[in-house]
Amino acid sequence: MYELATDTAHSGSATVAGPALSWALLTGADAVDEPAGAALAAAELDDSQPWLMRCDRVDFPPGAVAYRHTHPGPGIRRLLFGELTVTTAGVTTTYRAGDAWFESGPEPVYAESSAVEETAFVRVMLLPAEWAGRRTICYADPADADRPARQRARVLLEEPLA
């Protein structure tokens, strides 16, 4: 759960005083019984390795670019404020405050933030446990790793999946 007013994340059962975003990892029959109207993104995880769940927040100043990149695992994002234009698999979509989207991880993504306002999203990713405490962005063009990254990711919560 991500608490909007305090910019904090909680795992498991939590009580918050104000608006919050909540994610649930559903498997098997639980996924089938998900209430109508709820967004559900399915991800297949390799059971032969341990996994972790990370909740983090990514902030962009006006006009920032996240060069074409991948992540080692899937995740869902929700735009908190601003505007973000994301291109993946040849499709370009502009997200605005309150919009959510899923990224598979291995599919390269390019993103541009609003030219005139700050932009931020919060996400929950499922990652192989070997990525604990490590930055997950992997640039498609190694030269982009040397370019200034104006966006800043801040880990709020990271826990192993049982």
Side-chain angles (χ1 to χ4, degrees):
M1 183 176 299
Y2 173 77
E3 191 170 359
L4 294 157
T6 62
D7 188 36
T8 56
H10 310 276
S11 179
S13 181
T15 302
V16 297
L21 304 175
S22 178
W23 291 270
L25 181 62
L26 305 175
T27 59
D30 291 337
V32 173
D33 293 336
E34 178 67 7
L40 179 63
E44 294 290 327
L45 301 181
D46 178 359
D47 289 340
S48 70
Q49 65 178 332
W51 289 80
L52 63 89
M53 175 198 64
R54 177 184 294 171
C55 179
D56 62 358
R57 177 176 160 160
V58 181
D59 288 83
F60 296 82
V65 170
Y67 299 105
R68 206 163 164 261
H69 65 279
T70 62
H71 293 281
I76 192 161
R77 287 104 169 111
R78 183 164 188 253
L79 202 67
L80 299 172
F81 52 85
E83 185 176 280
L84 194 66
T85 300
V86 177
T87 302
T88 187
V91 177
T92 300
T93 306
T94 298
Y95 297 100
R96 292 175 180 78
D99 290 344
W101 69 99
F102 178 79
E103 292 181 12
S104 68
E107 183 69 41
V109 174
Y110 174 86
E112 294 180 17
S113 69
S114 166
V116 296
E117 63 184 329
E118 293 184 1
T119 298
F121 65 82
V122 65
R123 69 182 165 199
V124 171
M125 291 191 293
L126 302 177
L127 302 168
E130 66 197 55
W131 287 88
R134 295 173 46 201
R135 203 167 166 231
T136 63
I137 193 166
C138 301
Y139 293 102
D141 179 351
D144 286 338
D146 295 330
R147 297 171 90 175
R150 297 177 55 215
Q151 75 272 21
R152 297 287 175 252
R154 184 169 39 92
V155 174
L156 303 168
L157 177 76
E158 189 171 86
E159 292 195 2
L161 292 180

